[in-house]
Amino acid sequence: MVKSYLRYEPWKTFGVITSTTSNVIYSKGGALAVAPALEEVALWDLKKGILKRKWLDINNKAEVTAIAKNPKNEDYAVGYADGSIRIWNIDQSTFSIIFNGHRGAVTALTFDKSGARLASGSKDTDLIIWDVIGEVGLFRMRGHKDQITAIRFLCKPLLGGVISEDIPSQGYLLSSSKDTLLKLWDLSTQHCMETVVAHRSEIWDFDVSKDEMLIVTGGDDAEMKLWTIDHNVLAQGLESESTLNDEDTEIKKAIKFYGNIKRECKERVITLKFHPTANILGVQGPEKYVEIFRIYSYEEIKKKLIRRKKRQKEKKQKVENSNMDIDSDLVEINASDMITSYRMVRTSAKIRSFDFLTKEDISKSGTIEILVSLTNNILELYTMGLPVKKKEKFLETADPSKLYSVDLPGHRNDIRTLALSSDDELLCSASKSTLKIWNMKTTSCLRTIDCGYALCSSFLPGDRNVIIGTKDGNLELFDLASSSQIESIKAHDGPIWSLQVRPDKLGLVTGSADSNVKFWDFDMSQDGDTTNEYRVGSRHLTLVHTRTLKMNDDILCVRYSPNQKLIAVALLDATVKVFYNDTLKFFLSLYGHKLPVLSMDISSDNKLLVTGSADKNIKIWGLDFGDCRKSIFAHQDSITSVQFVQGTHYIFTAGKDKLVKYWDGDKFENITKLDGHHGEVWALAISKRGDLLVSGSHDRSIRVWEQTDEELFLEEEREKELEELYESTLTTSLEKTTLEDNVESTSAGKQTMETLKAGERIMEALDIADDNAAAWETYAQLKERGQNPGPPPKPNPILVALGNLTGDQYVLRTIEKIRSSELEEALLVLPFTKVISLFQCLDMWAKKEWNVALTCRITFHLLKVHHDQIVANRLIKPRLESLKTNIRAALKRHKDLLGYNLAALKYIKRDWENNNTAEFFDDIPKNEEMSSESLTKRKFINLTV
């Protein structure tokens, strides 16, 4: 019999408020904060401090790296570390589109003003323009030599420099990169029309003002740079180069340097953003504040400079008694006059990103709101007053203040230790400064208590108290009912790396870096708090030191055997010493690890001891004679935790390679691996029944893995791992590596396993259609010759099962089920023989007018890709002639139908306006002349019923 195991699947993930891999976005209207949470996107209600919902694709394990908001609706584009992009809807919490085109993490995303196009930049240095409505990639642009850091769309201006958003055009795209370059791309010709060497170092972010007149860029230094956009040059486009005289060889530039702007922070810029409605610019670096700049209008700058000139004149008249003329039109406006520092929004920790709340009218409230994502897993919302204008002077407002904060549902630092209560209903997690108690069913945080730097923890008998060992050598005892620390005992002179409650529940043991193993008994102590009359005479749990076992080196882990006869001690010299618990006499010395043992555990039948070491190996020892049963290379980095499942010889291990692995301690084989964490896994906790596994990590997430009823077989797991390895190497080998480096624009797609499988499905459908067509053709030929063809050929069972479809219908249905964004890459999988068969199907679709838009799209793509082979093949010419005739006829009928429907809609619109619009005029008295004043008093009102 082949042995089977039960599979562990991800059940819950909690503890992450916001991760540091992506920016945070304020939802439209300010109701929710859209924050990255590792591979998920969390939507937080800031006022209530609760999690409303999560966006998670169960097939995706890559981290979120960029988030962008559609300006026209409630759709959000989310970029991931594997190069994929998903479009999520905030109301439905589902993704509608997946774009795959990048070969590196997506680092920049932006929508155009219509929300119909999406631009993405990546670590692979490519820019891709996506059609959100058509769900396809338009083209890929290459030119940068390093990671893309920011991108923005620019509208196509009319002649005269006027920007019109109503006239559809391809427009322009601005992009910045770590290669120090700022590039301006013409999307109509798909080429870079201008390159600006903006900074001496990397450009980390930039933004364009709402009127698209100014660009502010930020790099590694303490100065930002201000640039202006010449819309006349953009409106002329390539014509500006042809109109140059022979003597004038200088090409007009659309982006011109204007000046430098100093900021307080000396570090690099992380986020730089204009406020959407107010004249405010926010800049943030890797510090604990956001610097707010105020943008002055031209009239305000001119008045300020006139006053400056006037003061200079008065000062000079006192000295030289001379006159100076003031010409306000000749006053030069500097960048420092246009943008000046206004406020500092200071936060409690370093900032990852920020976003402004979009309000239609901020003049009424006079304040702006700033959402801040901190690097220590906190979201904060600040409000700041704008300068108030009274009697042509701006009055300063109050300093920024914090409105809301979301910090309770997560730790500020790495989760170093985990412990489950005796009934597995409560979970204790501790980090550098915080101890939290969680409800395992609801994953809600019940208690948050300040503590020292926790390294180990445990629930005490009764589950009313929790004890932790700290880096300072203290044992801190906490009462869960009062959420307070009962006692802090100076137990050791060094960090307490390990503690365990005795199997008889009457005491515990601790091991420390001071080379001592100390044994403690539980006792009840009189409360010494005499200041509180309610606590006078109360008793609480305490610890009494009973004995000490001195060792020759630092102690990293101590463990009791379940029968309490033995105690194992792991030392810094990479050995494990086993002693008798009653007499503390030496029993065994286990050596074989090359680096110290960081964790160990003893099976519930007292027969096996498993050790996990920094040398990446686990060793399974027999406790009878101390023999090493097996040494297994388990992880790619140090092993931080090992534990037996209660009542079995199954072992869970966790390592710094971000993996949790499941082992059979009898067969010495890896059962499966649990990958989901994005940082080092520090701690594990297993329920008493073994049905739940909890892991805590450097990424501040707590993940719960649940044992399912699905059986798992080792051979199937090994085959699955080989398939995953093959698929990962297959897709990279199919990448287009023959493209020349100087090609600026290419196709936007990328081969993935989904596109390969879609191509295989198309080939299978074409095979069925060809076999069906060939059988009927043979039957018809025999019938024409007068021979007995026999019974008519039987259709394929698949066609019969789907409702007696024809071969052409089946191929069309197969292609329609493929995602629009993956169709072109799936068609590249087809060999040319299948392309010829597909042309025959396309001819039939066009003739019958089945999905004309899809037919045209496939036809044009195949003609573009297989042009050379099609030209060289004479046999395909009659089929292409028939296809051309049928497509033109189908398109003409669709064009006529669209024109007829459009005319009907215009007629309905005019009829509705005539019947539902009334005009009202104020009566003009007969004796009142039609003066200019009377004309202004006349009112014209359109009321729509």
Side-chain angles (χ1 to χ4, degrees):
M1 292 292 292
V2 177
K3 188 174 183 180
S4 64
Y5 307 87
L6 295 180
R7 187 182 298 276
Y8 283 81
E9 293 289 348
W11 182 38
K12 293 179 180 178
T13 301
F14 55 96
V16 181
I17 300 172
T18 175
S19 55
T20 59
T21 55
S22 174
N23 59 311
V24 66
I25 292 288
Y26 222 154
S27 70
K28 196 172 182 180
L32 299 173
V34 182
L38 302 178
E39 74 276 10
E40 303 172 338
V41 178
L43 277 67
W44 294 94
D45 187 333
L46 296 176
K47 292 183 179 180
K48 299 179 181 178
I50 60 174
L51 180 66
K52 300 294 288 185
R53 61 185 76 96
K54 284 184 178 181
W55 295 342
L56 172 63
D57 182 4
I58 58 175
N59 298 320
N60 170 61
K61 295 181 181 179
E63 286 185 278
V64 175
T65 55
I67 304 175
K69 179 170 57 178
N70 193 322
K72 293 298 182 181
N73 51 44
E74 289 297 309
D75 286 342
Y76 289 78
V78 180
Y80 295 86
D82 60 356
S84 63
I85 302 170
R86 288 167 175 80
I87 308 296
W88 295 85
N89 185 272
I90 196 171
D91 296 325
Q92 302 175 356
S93 295
T94 57
F95 67 92
S96 55
I97 309 171
I98 297 181
F99 293 133
N100 275 301
H102 289 290
R103 285 171 283 274
V106 178
T107 55
L109 284 173
T110 185
F111 284 94
D112 65 356
K113 291 186 177 180
S114 66
R117 290 179 299 170
L118 173 69
S120 62
S122 170
K123 283 186 177 180
D124 61 7
T125 74
D126 291 347
L127 293 164
I128 299 181
I129 308 298
W130 307 92
D131 183 356
V132 179
I133 298 176
E135 302 182 8
V136 295
L138 298 178
F139 49 87
R140 180 195 307 266
M141 297 186 296
R142 292 176 169 172
H144 284 290
K145 301 300 181 184
D146 208 335
Q147 171 185 326
I148 308 296
T149 55
I151 46 181
R152 296 291 185 276
F153 278 98
L154 293 179
C155 294
K156 175 79 172 180
L158 305 176
L159 290 175
V162 180
I163 298 176
S164 176
E165 300 179 11
D166 298 330
I167 301 177
S169 67
Q170 293 289 335
Y172 299 93
L173 186 74
L174 268 173
S175 64
S176 65
S177 170
K178 291 171 68 174
D179 61 5
T180 74
L181 300 180
L182 182 70
K183 285 181 175 286
L184 178 62
W185 304 83
D186 189 340
L187 299 182
S188 60
T189 58
Q190 302 174 18
H191 83 290
C192 178
M193 61 177 292
E194 193 169 318
T195 300
V196 181
V197 183
H199 290 260
R200 294 182 179 179
S201 57
E202 297 94 338
I203 303 177
W204 287 102
D205 199 8
F206 76 90
D207 201 8
V208 181
S209 60
K210 186 178 180 181
D211 57 3
E212 297 188 358
M213 299 296 294
L214 300 176
I215 304 172
V216 180
T217 60
D220 273 342
D221 48 9
E223 288 186 343
M224 300 180 296
K225 294 194 175 184
L226 181 64
W227 311 78
T228 59
I229 303 176
D230 191 341
H231 290 283
N232 290 323
V233 176
L234 290 181
Q236 294 174 1
L238 295 176
E239 296 178 1
S240 60
E241 301 182 13
S242 62
T243 56
L244 295 174
N245 298 327
D246 296 336
E247 299 178 356
D248 188 10
T249 58
E250 183 180 358
I251 299 177
K252 294 182 179 180
K253 296 292 185 180
I255 302 175
K256 299 177 182 178
F257 178 69
Y258 196 77
N260 294 320
I261 305 170
K262 292 185 178 180
R263 58 190 187 96
E264 291 293 330
C265 182
K266 306 299 181 184
E267 302 292 332
R268 72 174 181 93
V269 168
I270 294 179
T271 309
L272 188 151
K273 189 169 295 187
F274 282 97
H275 194 280
T277 55
N279 292 327
I280 293 295
L281 171 68
V283 183
Q284 162 252 323
E287 298 294 337
K288 296 182 180 181
Y289 56 82
V290 178
E291 192 170 359
I292 304 298
F293 290 84
R294 182 181 167 194
I295 305 170
Y296 289 90
S297 64
Y298 179 76
E299 289 76 14
E300 294 170 346
I301 298 171
K302 190 164 67 172
K303 289 179 182 179
K304 183 169 64 174
L305 294 183
I306 289 175
R307 288 195 299 269
R308 187 185 302 169
K309 283 284 187 179
K310 188 176 181 180
R311 287 194 298 268
Q312 291 178 356
K313 177 184 176 181
E314 293 174 353
K315 185 177 180 180
K316 195 169 185 179
Q317 282 179 346
K318 291 181 181 179
V319 178
E320 300 179 359
N321 199 15
S322 61
N323 296 325
M324 181 183 298
D325 295 332
I326 301 175
D327 188 359
S328 61
D329 294 332
L330 299 178
V331 172
E332 183 180 357
I333 302 173
N334 298 323
S336 57
D337 297 324
M338 185 177 296
I339 301 178
T340 59
S341 181
Y342 175 60
R343 281 283 190 272
M344 303 285 284
V345 180
R346 300 191 179 275
T347 59
S348 58
K350 292 185 177 180
I351 304 171
R352 169 56 181 88
S353 69
F354 75 93
D355 191 27
F356 290 113
L357 171 62
T358 304
K359 289 184 178 179
E360 298 297 332
D361 186 13
I362 62 171
S363 59
K364 295 180 180 179
S365 61
T367 60
I368 60 173
E369 294 182 359
I370 305 169
L371 174 65
V372 179
S373 167
L374 305 183
T375 57
N376 63 345
N377 202 22
I378 293 179
L379 287 175
E380 293 181 344
L381 181 65
Y382 289 83
T383 180
M384 186 192 73
L386 295 176
V388 181
K389 187 174 182 180
K390 287 187 177 180
K391 295 182 180 180
E392 298 185 355
K393 290 184 179 181
F394 284 94
L395 303 179
E396 298 295 333
T397 56
D399 292 334
S401 61
K402 186 194 299 185
L403 277 181
Y404 309 109
S405 177
V406 181
D407 57 356
L408 290 180
H411 281 278
R412 309 283 79 80
N413 305 96
D414 297 14
I415 298 171
R416 295 303 301 263
T417 175
L418 295 171
L420 282 169
S421 61
S422 59
D423 55 3
D424 299 328
E425 292 187 358
L426 296 179
L427 173 70
C428 163
S429 64
S431 62
K432 181 179 180 180
S433 59
T434 309
L435 170 71
K436 288 183 177 289
I437 306 298
W438 307 83
N439 186 323
M440 284 295 293
K441 292 182 179 179
T442 62
T443 67
S444 58
C445 182
L446 304 178
R447 299 284 188 274
T448 299
I449 311 171
D450 294 334
C451 67
Y453 198 129
L455 297 176
C456 51
S457 64
S458 177
F459 277 92
L460 296 185
D463 297 333
R464 296 181 180 180
N465 302 95
V466 170
I467 190 169
I468 65 168
T470 67
K471 197 172 183 179
D472 298 330
N474 296 329
L475 284 174
E476 296 183 358
L477 195 61
F478 298 91
D479 179 51
L480 299 185
S482 61
S483 299
S484 61
Q485 179 178 316
I486 300 175
E487 191 175 3
S488 179
I489 303 171
K490 183 62 178 177
H492 292 271
D493 295 330
I496 301 176
W497 291 110
S498 178
L499 67 84
Q500 187 188 18
V501 177
R502 284 208 315 253
D504 60 6
K505 310 296 183 183
L506 299 178
L508 56 85
V509 62
T510 58
S512 169
D514 64 358
S515 306
N516 291 328
V517 179
K518 291 189 177 182
F519 299 84
W520 309 80
D521 286 343
F522 296 133
D523 196 3
M524 300 302 294
S525 173
Q526 190 76 21
D527 199 326
D529 186 6
T530 59
T531 60
N532 190 340
E533 60 179 354
Y534 297 103
R535 298 195 60 178
V536 173
S538 63
R539 295 163 61 85
H540 66 82
L541 188 66
T542 187
L543 298 176
V544 178
H545 179 221
T546 57
R547 54 181 178 166
T548 302
L549 174 64
K550 294 184 177 294
M551 307 298 294
N552 296 326
D553 212 334
D554 293 9
I555 297 166
L556 301 181
C557 187
V558 290
R559 284 293 179 269
Y560 276 110
S561 62
N563 58 11
Q564 206 172 317
K565 290 184 178 181
L566 301 175
I567 184 168
V569 182
L571 303 177
L572 190 63
D573 60 3
T575 63
V576 176
K577 308 290 186 183
V578 184
F579 298 88
Y580 291 103
N581 178 47
D582 51 358
T583 61
L584 297 184
K585 288 186 177 179
F586 176 75
F587 175 49
L588 293 171
S589 179
L590 311 178
Y591 56 90
H593 283 290
K594 297 180 180 178
L595 291 174
V597 173
L598 303 180
S599 179
M600 61 182 176
D601 197 17
I602 299 176
S603 62
S604 54
D605 59 2
N606 308 289
K607 292 182 178 180
L608 296 180
L609 169 71
V610 61
T611 56
S613 169
D615 62 7
K616 311 172 188 177
N617 291 296
I618 62 170
K619 291 182 182 291
I620 301 174
W621 312 81
L623 280 180
D624 294 335
F625 305 102
D627 56 319
C628 181
R629 303 281 179 88
K630 190 68 175 180
S631 179
I632 306 173
F633 182 78
H635 289 263
Q636 298 298 322
D637 210 332
S638 300
I639 298 171
T640 57
S641 181
V642 294
Q643 280 196 38
F644 276 103
V645 178
Q646 186 75 18
T648 68
H649 284 176
Y650 298 149
I651 307 166
F652 279 103
T653 63
K656 290 185 178 180
D657 58 355
K658 309 175 186 178
L659 294 177
V660 177
K661 292 190 176 182
Y662 188 28
W663 304 85
D664 187 337
D666 293 326
K667 291 191 172 184
F668 315 121
E669 289 185 307
N670 178 222
I671 301 173
T672 185
K673 64 179 180 180
L674 308 176
D675 54 342
H677 283 288
H678 300 277
E680 297 92 338
V681 184
W682 290 112
L684 292 177
I686 304 175
S687 64
K688 304 300 182 292
R689 294 180 297 174
D691 57 340
L692 292 179
L693 169 71
V694 188
S695 56
S697 169
H698 168 74
D699 59 17
R700 303 188 181 97
S701 70
I702 301 174
R703 296 177 186 266
V704 184
W705 314 82
E706 183 183 27
Q707 189 181 52
T708 63
D709 295 332
E710 180 184 357
E711 290 189 344
L712 180 152
F713 298 94
L714 297 181
E715 294 181 358
E716 293 180 357
E717 286 297 304
R718 300 294 86 80
E719 291 177 1
K720 188 177 179 181
E721 291 176 3
L722 290 175
E723 286 178 2
E724 291 177 355
L725 179 63
Y726 171 72
E727 290 175 358
S728 63
T729 56
L730 178 63
T731 53
T732 54
S733 64
L734 290 175
E735 292 295 337
K736 307 177 185 66
T737 56
T738 59
L739 295 175
E740 298 179 3
D741 294 336
N742 57 358
V743 176
E744 276 193 343
S745 179
T746 60
S747 61
K750 182 184 76 170
Q751 284 287 0
T752 62
M753 285 310 302
E754 286 75 15
T755 59
L756 293 177
K757 292 176 181 177
E760 292 176 355
R761 290 197 299 269
I762 296 175
M763 285 190 284
E764 292 173 359
L766 288 172
D767 287 336
I768 293 175
D770 290 344
D771 293 342
N772 190 50
W776 278 101
E777 185 177 356
T778 304
Y779 178 79
Q781 288 177 356
L782 292 175
K783 201 170 182 181
E784 288 179 0
R785 295 173 186 173
Q787 300 178 2
N788 183 16
K794 294 183 179 180
N796 191 286
I798 297 177
L799 301 180
V800 176
L802 294 175
N804 292 322
L805 297 179
T806 63
D808 302 329
Q809 288 175 320
Y810 179 61
V811 175
L812 178 60
R813 180 175 293 189
T814 302
I815 294 179
E816 285 177 337
K817 291 180 180 179
I818 300 173
R819 286 197 186 104
S820 180
S821 58
E822 299 174 353
L823 178 59
E824 294 182 354
E825 294 298 321
L827 292 174
L828 293 178
V829 180
L830 303 181
F832 188 67
T833 55
K834 298 300 178 186
V835 171
I836 296 176
S837 301
L838 187 54
F839 271 124
Q840 186 174 358
C841 294
L842 291 170
D843 189 15
M844 295 298 297
W845 300 347
K847 186 176 182 180
K848 298 176 181 178
E849 296 188 14
W850 292 344
N851 204 334
V852 179
L854 181 63
T855 302
C856 294
R857 181 184 169 193
I858 296 174
T859 302
F860 299 151
H861 178 70
L862 293 179
L863 290 175
K864 179 181 177 181
V865 173
H866 301 282
H867 176 266
D868 296 338
Q869 292 169 295
I870 291 173
V871 171
N873 193 337
R874 295 182 179 179
L875 299 177
I876 202 174
K877 184 178 179 180
R879 189 168 297 168
L880 290 179
E881 290 288 344
S882 175
L883 179 60
K884 180 181 72 173
T885 304
N886 292 330
I887 281 184
R888 285 186 175 180
L891 289 176
K892 186 177 183 304
R893 280 190 288 272
H894 276 69
K895 181 182 177 182
D896 295 340
L897 181 62
L898 288 175
Y900 181 82
N901 291 338
L902 185 60
L905 289 174
K906 288 180 178 179
Y907 173 79
I908 294 173
K909 179 183 177 182
R910 288 194 302 268
D911 183 66
W912 186 90
E913 290 177 348
N914 292 333
N915 294 329
N916 294 276
T917 304
E919 297 180 355
F920 296 90
F921 296 90
D922 284 349
D923 292 335
I924 301 175
K926 295 181 179 179
N927 56 358
E928 184 178 354
E929 297 181 358
M930 291 293 292
S931 61
S932 60
E933 294 183 4
S934 62
L935 286 174
T936 57
K937 293 179 182 179
R938 184 172 180 175
K939 299 179 180 178
F940 175 79
I941 305 173
N942 287 331
L943 298 178
T944 302
V945 180

